Structure formats: C-alpha cells, structure tokens
Amino acid sequence: MRKLLFGIIILITLITAFIAYMFYHEPSSGELLVTSIDRHGTGLGFDIELYQALAEVVDVPVTAFGGAGNIQHFVDLFTKTNVTGALVGALLYNKVLTIKDIKKVFHKSGVVVRQ
C-alpha cells in the first residue's frame, strides 16, 4: 500500500510539473530548474525518478536541485538520468565538497564535465 501511495504521489508531482511546464513554457525558454521539495535539505539524494521522468517529456535541459548529501548522489543523477545540470549549494558552502573533488569523481565515473 505504501509503495502504491508513493507511486501516486510521484505521478501527481510529474503531472503538476508537466502542466506547469506547458503553461509557462515559451519558445525562448532555455532550461528548467526543478527543485524536489520532498528531498530538499534532507541529504538523502536526488529524486532520480522525478528528474528522469521530467527530462523525458520536456524539450529543454533540466537542472536538478534538492536532496544531495554527498558526491555519489551527483554521480547517480548524471549516470541514471538525462538531466544536464545540478545545483550543489550547501555542500560547497559548508565545505563538504570542493569543485576539484567533484570534477575528479565525475572524471573517474565517466561523467563529462567542462574543464
């Protein structure tokens, strides 16, 4: 039952995000910055299902925000979804990660980044 409820919540979230995209999207829109409110500030990782589902139905790049607690969460996001960007936020601010660390791990994981 809990899994079904979670699935319904994900579906409603996706439908809401897609409707918002269709309503507000203009031909000149460059990308979507999507925050998973359920994951924001938790450090539990990105909502992979949400970001992948959204990236599959929109025709602009999707940038993810909310949920990252460590570098592996970013690796998972970029290797398991079509998301093109992610915000690091507090992990850099609180000196948990550095840009150099992130690029090094991405390189080892096969995630392409600008040098």
Side-chain angles (χ1 to χ4, degrees):
M1 181 68 172
R2 185 175 180 177
K3 213 170 200 179
L4 175 64
L5 182 59
F6 182 70
I8 291 170
I9 291 170
I10 292 283
L11 181 61
I12 291 170
T13 302
L14 287 171
I15 291 170
T16 304
F18 186 69
I19 290 170
Y21 167 76
M22 294 304 291
F23 184 73
Y24 292 109
H25 179 265
E26 296 180 20
S28 61
S29 295
E31 67 183 304
L32 290 177
L33 171 59
V34 182
T35 303
S36 173
I37 297 300
D38 294 341
R39 296 286 180 98
H40 185 71
T42 65
L44 298 174
F46 291 101
D47 188 339
I48 299 293
E49 295 82 16
L50 169 68
Y51 292 120
Q52 178 57 26
L54 188 58
E56 288 177 359
V57 297
V58 299
D59 59 354
V60 295
V62 174
T63 298
F65 182 51
N70 60 56
I71 188 64
Q72 187 60 44
H73 293 151
F74 290 94
V75 172
D76 291 344
L77 179 73
F78 289 118
T79 58
K80 296 178 180 179
T81 73
N82 296 330
V83 167
T84 58
L87 297 179
V88 183
L91 294 175
L92 287 177
Y93 180 79
N94 294 325
K95 297 182 170 95
V96 174
L97 296 173
T98 67
I99 300 233
K100 187 176 182 178
D101 294 337
I102 295 169
K103 286 187 173 188
K104 185 188 302 182
V105 171
F106 279 0
H107 180 72
K108 287 180 182 177
S109 302
V111 177
V112 178
V113 294
R114 286 179 272 177
Q115 295 300 321

